[in-house]
Amino acid sequence: MEERMENTINVEEIFAQNVFTMAKMQQRLSKKVFSAVQNIYDNGGKLTKEEADEVAHAMKNWAVENGATHYTHWFQPLNGTTAEKHDSFLLPSEEEGKTVMTFSGRDLLQSEPDASSFPSGGIRSTFEARGYTAWDITSPAFLKESGAGKILCIPTAFYSYTGEALDKKAPLLRSMEVIDEQTRRLLSLLGKKDIKKVTPQAGVEQEYFLVDSENYLRRSDLKFCGHTLFGAPAPKGQAMDDHYFGAIRERVGRFMRELNYELWKLGVPAKTQHNEAAPGQHELAPIYENANIALDHNQLVMETMKRVAENHDLRCLLHEKPYEGVNGSGKHNNWSLSTNTGENLLDPGKSPEKNIEFLLILSCVLKAVDTHADLLRQSTADPGNDLRLGGYEAPPAILSVFLGTQLEDVMRQLIETGTANRHLEGGVLRTGVSALLDIDRDTTDRNRTSPFAFTGNKFEFRMVGSSDSIGEPMTVINAIVAEAFSDAADRLEKAKDIEIEVHDIIKENFTKHQRIVFNGNGYSREWVEEAHRRGLPELKTMAQAAGALTKPESIAMYEKFGIYSKEELVSREEILYDTYSKSVHVDAKTMIDMAGRQIIPACMQYEKELAKTVLALREVGEVVNTEAARLKEVAGHIEDAQSALNRLVQDCEKGENITNSRERAFFYQDVIKPDMQAVRTPCDELEKLVDKRMWPFPTYEELMFEV
Ligand code: ADP
Ligand code: MG
């Protein structure tokens, strides 16, 4: 590591060293072109060909001066990761045997990767492969350093030949424009006419596991599926609660240091790091940023985690549920709305009951979440998250909003009397130790079990899975809140008395949508029952949630604001079913391989040893009760495992032959998943019985405690 990194890090010096920032553009561009760039950054629009050429030239010079050889349009296809195809800047020069480094405005603005190899849900067939990437000027270009050298990455959005978005970025950018417009419309009706721009902010807490490389490589399930398919619980799990915020171990500490260093160079404002609840689990949170930049940065965080881990003989697991029986990993999406004047519109101020603007916004958020709970849930659907949501460690698959005592009290007053004129105070917490200062208590305690929690001046959407892109969740939140703002603005535009109408809307939103507010323990069984009584939807699985995309209300909302077309929604639903089936299929195939070629043979070997022991003991006239009983138990589990395995093999063949993608997804959910559980159970029992030295791969003990 010492070769890669100085011992002391001068953060101010290295921060954004690998980013082509606005400041660097200003230094390198003519005044005229820089102001064109700035204008597009602030207000949207297009660069002329000449302007683009100048920007491209400056960007290339900066990149080459810093050692770059290639550039790429960096984009975020619908498989949730990032994609890049490197092109070198090379152009043969007129002078024989020489070359020049070039990069034109056209190279910068657009590129044409083969769209046929990325998921498109039927929008593209392989013979019409054209797809285009277009530069997202609001997210800066950066240099990525890896084994491939330094690559100039240009953040882009990805479209099909016919203009449909094929990525997670384009809809987010569209939703950001929509919420900007609708928020300004609403504020202006409330008399605030000077706001020029409203930008959604996102702060993304990323949870992950680290595992020793050697152990990882010996487990096909980790290599192919990113999570374990077998594993009896280790003697110690997270029951002692001694890992959360615990002292960070040396190797992990070195990993975190290099990770921060790499992220800071990329301009990612990595801020906090700590151990999480499960052994081997950790978290990184950056400072919040504009939602589209936070999206790019979170992708870089995930990529960099994986890359840096390998430098320390570690592997980083981003899967939502690497191990059964201990906590899984999520990605809390913190969301707020910020104005160009620096105001956070979700800040209630000192007296929220008098802050009409805040109450209107808050009541609209409640309306949005209640009306489109299924879409929000859907935006967090991925195969790994199915194993996490509702597992009594993560928010259940039911949307509810935590407001905290103070705001809930304000809401109740408004519902009951139409006015609110008092607020509960936080007060002071006496520490009882004279050397410690008393602590100013927050007005509300934290609630860690709510999927959508108001946390002081932002909402924290906690349902999102650790490996997922934040593109979709952020798009949904922007869209549904924009819709609620737009409904309110429609009414205010027609109102005779704005003040009375605002009060009416707030009261109505709170009254109609109070069922979504829940301040209690979201992990409890009682809440699930209560939620059902309230009529809140519970979409337990990815396959069940996918249909939310194409409900008439969803299509109407998205089309009204031009965020997704019906065709894009239909194709995205299709992709979800397909992704789910493929992912479970890979899991099943891996399971078949591990059980059939590793576990069962190893257990048979042990069985043979036991049989030999029984025979030998009998021969010398010893009592063999214990040995014979163990032999019988092992033999019984082997038989169960083998017959479950046979069924899984047969059902997988059936699954592959189902042509309708929705039907296939439900088959994988309802048939293959239970089949897999039936294989796992006897195998985990065998792990508890078989001689440890004969077990064919590292167990939970090694995976979780050898980091
Ligand atoms: P925790 O949820 O663990 O208590 P914090 O309160 O420190 O953590 O914040 C978590 C994340 O929320 C951080 O990424 C932080 O930058 C982000 N955050 C803080 N304020 C805002 C805001 N106004 N809008 C969006 N994200 C925010
Ligand atoms: Mg959090």
Side-chain angles (χ1 to χ4, degrees):
M1 186 179 78
E2 262 50 55
E3 287 162 23
R4 287 187 296 272
M5 200 174 98
E6 298 293 324
N7 213 14
T8 50
I9 302 175
N10 185 335
V11 184
E12 283 181 25
E13 204 168 281
I14 62 155
F15 191 79
Q17 174 182 302
N18 285 352
V19 186
F20 196 51
T21 55
M22 276 296 195
K24 285 175 193 146
M25 279 206 234
Q26 188 165 21
Q27 278 167 14
R28 287 168 181 264
L29 295 174
S30 66
K31 261 211 171 81
K32 182 175 145 278
V33 172
F34 178 71
S35 76
V37 169
Q38 184 125 51
N39 189 37
I40 297 175
Y41 186 92
D42 293 334
N43 308 310
K46 277 202 175 69
L47 290 175
T48 64
K49 188 184 167 299
E50 289 70 30
E51 288 164 348
D53 279 337
E54 188 179 323
V55 176
H57 187 70
M59 195 185 276
K60 185 260 313 180
N61 284 348
W62 168 77
V64 171
E65 280 163 31
N66 283 284
T69 51
H70 292 69
Y71 71 92
T72 183
H73 274 209
W74 187 72
F75 61 103
Q76 308 183 9
L78 293 172
N79 56 19
T81 58
T82 59
E84 50 195 78
K85 180 185 100 190
H86 303 164
D87 274 297
S88 74
F89 295 114
L90 233 67
L91 187 79
S93 134
E94 284 174 8
E95 211 180 319
E96 193 269 329
K98 297 259 176 185
T99 187
V100 285
M101 301 290 256
T102 62
F103 184 54
S104 71
R106 200 188 142 76
D107 294 336
L108 168 66
L109 292 182
Q110 88 177 48
S111 154
E112 200 197 312
D114 180 349
S116 62
S117 316
F118 296 102
S120 75
I123 285 179
R124 309 237 44 73
S125 49
T126 36
F127 56 88
E128 327 165 280
R130 269 180 209 277
Y132 296 99
T133 50
W135 182 29
D136 168 17
I137 199 169
T138 59
S139 186
F142 57 91
L143 288 181
K144 201 158 94 174
E145 294 174 86
S146 70
K150 289 188 183 178
I151 311 289
L152 171 66
C153 293
I154 299 152
T156 56
F158 183 38
Y159 299 93
S160 75
Y161 182 66
T162 38
E164 285 93 8
L166 292 178
D167 70 350
K168 306 237 173 193
K169 188 73 176 286
L172 176 66
L173 293 172
R174 292 175 189 160
S175 78
M176 287 173 71
E177 284 183 8
V178 171
I179 196 155
D180 169 35
E181 201 176 307
Q182 296 304 330
T183 314
R184 279 188 291 111
R185 195 176 148 219
L186 191 64
L187 292 178
S188 143
L189 284 157
L190 297 178
K192 224 185 208 173
K193 297 185 195 294
D194 56 335
I195 305 293
K196 296 219 160 48
K197 185 143 184 162
V198 175
T199 314
Q201 303 295 310
V204 190
E205 301 163 57
Q206 177 71 49
E207 290 181 336
Y208 60 97
F209 278 86
L210 290 174
V211 56
D212 183 79
S213 273
E214 209 175 303
N215 287 333
Y216 168 96
L217 290 169
R218 288 176 55 207
R219 299 255 336 193
S220 307
D221 47 6
L222 286 181
K223 265 191 301 186
F224 295 132
C225 318
H227 65 128
T228 55
L229 300 168
F230 300 98
K236 181 179 168 187
Q238 63 190 54
M240 310 281 288
D241 282 333
D242 56 355
H243 192 254
Y244 190 63
F245 281 17
I248 292 165
R249 264 173 278 189
E250 276 303 288
R251 177 155 59 145
V252 174
R254 286 194 295 272
F255 158 82
M256 287 180 171
R257 219 165 89 84
E258 189 180 341
L259 176 64
N260 285 331
Y261 176 74
E262 291 300 319
L263 291 175
W264 289 332
K265 282 195 291 182
L266 288 164
V268 178
K271 172 89 173 151
T272 56
Q273 59 196 26
H274 61 81
N275 286 354
E276 259 299 329
Q281 191 185 27
H282 309 278
E283 180 185 301
L284 178 146
I287 297 170
Y288 64 97
E289 303 171 277
N290 290 354
N292 61 322
I293 295 178
L295 166 62
D296 287 358
H297 282 173
N298 179 251
Q299 292 289 350
L300 286 176
V301 166
M302 292 195 286
E303 244 179 83
T304 311
M305 279 178 170
K306 288 191 174 169
R307 188 167 54 76
V308 171
E310 290 188 36
N311 294 340
H312 301 270
D313 297 320
L314 292 165
R315 295 295 169 126
C316 173
L317 306 177
L318 293 170
H319 192 277
E320 285 75 14
K321 194 75 186 172
Y323 310 117
E324 208 175 77
V326 298
N327 264 26
S329 299
K331 171 157 20 205
H332 295 175
N333 283 213
N334 294 271
W335 176 89
S336 67
L337 289 171
S338 152
T339 66
N340 63 307
T341 52
E343 192 190 346
N344 175 0
L345 296 174
L346 292 181
D347 190 347
K350 289 235 173 326
S351 314
E353 78 283 5
K354 293 190 199 117
N355 187 342
I356 294 302
E357 176 192 299
F358 170 76
L359 290 173
L360 179 60
I361 290 174
L362 182 71
S363 78
C364 285
V365 174
L366 288 193
K367 173 179 169 174
V369 176
D370 187 29
T371 311
H372 296 289
D374 54 350
L375 269 184
L376 271 173
R377 158 66 184 105
Q378 186 285 315
S379 73
T380 68
D382 74 23
N385 226 8
D386 274 14
L387 302 171
R388 172 178 164 263
L389 295 180
Y392 304 103
E393 60 172 77
I398 304 169
L399 246 306
S400 65
V401 180
F402 170 82
L403 284 185
T405 28
Q406 188 192 56
L407 285 181
E408 177 157 13
D409 177 61
V410 170
M411 178 182 92
R412 296 269 160 244
Q413 293 175 56
L414 280 161
I415 292 173
E416 278 151 29
T417 66
T419 54
N421 41 33
R422 67 182 150 83
H423 67 264
L424 304 174
E425 292 281 359
V428 173
L429 181 80
R430 303 268 168 229
T431 56
V433 179
S434 55
L436 287 178
L437 298 177
D438 285 336
I439 294 167
D440 273 337
R441 183 156 60 193
D442 289 302
T443 48
T444 56
D445 193 4
R446 287 169 185 274
N447 175 318
R448 298 248 166 228
T449 64
S450 175
F452 205 92
F454 185 74
T455 45
N457 59 3
K458 60 185 159 70
F459 276 99
E460 186 168 339
F461 186 27
R462 302 195 179 117
M463 238 182 205
V464 186
S466 48
S467 69
D468 213 356
S469 157
I470 68 160
E472 223 185 317
M474 286 291 130
T475 303
V476 175
I477 298 180
N478 293 338
I480 65 181
V481 172
E483 182 191 48
F485 285 174
S486 158
D487 291 348
D490 288 348
R491 278 177 62 173
L492 292 177
E493 269 166 7
K494 291 191 207 99
K496 283 202 197 79
D497 186 325
I498 293 244
E499 216 169 298
I500 293 178
E501 190 72 359
V502 171
H503 274 95
D504 285 352
I505 297 174
I506 295 174
K507 187 173 175 202
E508 193 181 305
N509 283 347
F510 279 143
T511 310
K512 272 196 184 158
H513 301 287
Q514 54 181 306
R515 66 170 188 166
I516 197 79
V517 176
F518 178 65
N519 282 343
N521 179 6
Y523 296 0
S524 67
R525 213 167 284 278
E526 295 75 46
W527 164 235
V528 176
E529 286 159 19
E530 165 71 15
H532 290 165
R533 274 195 297 279
R534 294 187 191 186
L536 300 175
E538 183 182 19
L539 299 166
K540 281 196 176 145
T541 64
M542 177 168 179
Q544 282 169 15
L549 282 177
T550 52
K551 269 186 20 184
E553 302 90 304
S554 311
I555 297 177
M557 187 256 311
Y558 279 133
E559 289 209 316
K560 173 174 174 187
F561 295 111
I563 294 171
Y564 289 112
S565 66
K566 183 174 176 191
E567 199 184 4
E568 285 169 337
L569 292 166
V570 170
S571 72
R572 271 161 210 251
E573 182 179 342
E574 187 76 11
I575 289 170
L576 289 176
Y577 294 133
D578 209 40
T579 306
Y580 181 78
S581 304
K582 280 183 182 151
S583 155
V584 180
H585 191 75
V586 171
D587 284 4
K589 286 285 193 199
T590 306
M591 182 166 234
I592 293 167
D593 194 66
M594 288 173 81
R597 299 199 310 131
Q598 291 189 289
I599 297 177
I600 294 178
C603 293
M604 285 175 167
Q605 193 63 36
Y606 181 57
E607 195 181 27
K608 196 169 122 196
E609 303 250 312
L610 282 174
K612 273 203 247 164
T613 311
V614 170
L615 277 180
L617 288 174
R618 264 202 196 123
E619 227 163 80
V620 296
E622 281 293 336
V623 186
V624 291
N625 293 350
T626 312
E627 294 75 8
R630 183 175 274 231
L631 175 58
K632 199 161 174 215
E633 208 182 336
V634 169
H637 290 312
I638 293 179
E639 201 167 310
D640 291 347
Q642 186 61 56
S643 68
L645 192 59
N646 295 345
R647 152 156 299 170
L648 178 61
V649 171
Q650 279 169 10
D651 286 338
C652 274
E653 269 169 37
K654 281 191 207 151
E656 273 180 301
N657 290 325
I658 301 173
T659 46
N660 178 292
S661 60
R662 183 171 186 279
E663 231 174 80
R664 191 166 61 241
F666 276 95
F667 180 84
Y668 274 95
Q669 173 193 296
D670 297 332
V671 177
I672 302 291
K673 290 286 250 188
D675 281 359
M676 289 175 65
Q677 191 54 48
V679 175
R680 177 169 186 157
T681 307
C683 289
D684 287 358
E685 286 306 316
L686 284 164
E687 190 192 315
K688 293 182 211 159
L689 289 169
V690 169
D691 185 339
K692 200 167 183 168
R693 289 161 299 185
M694 298 174 87
W695 199 250
F697 41 71
T699 62
Y700 275 13
E701 182 180 332
E702 283 109 52
L703 295 176
M704 278 188 259
F705 292 90
E706 289 185 2
V707 184

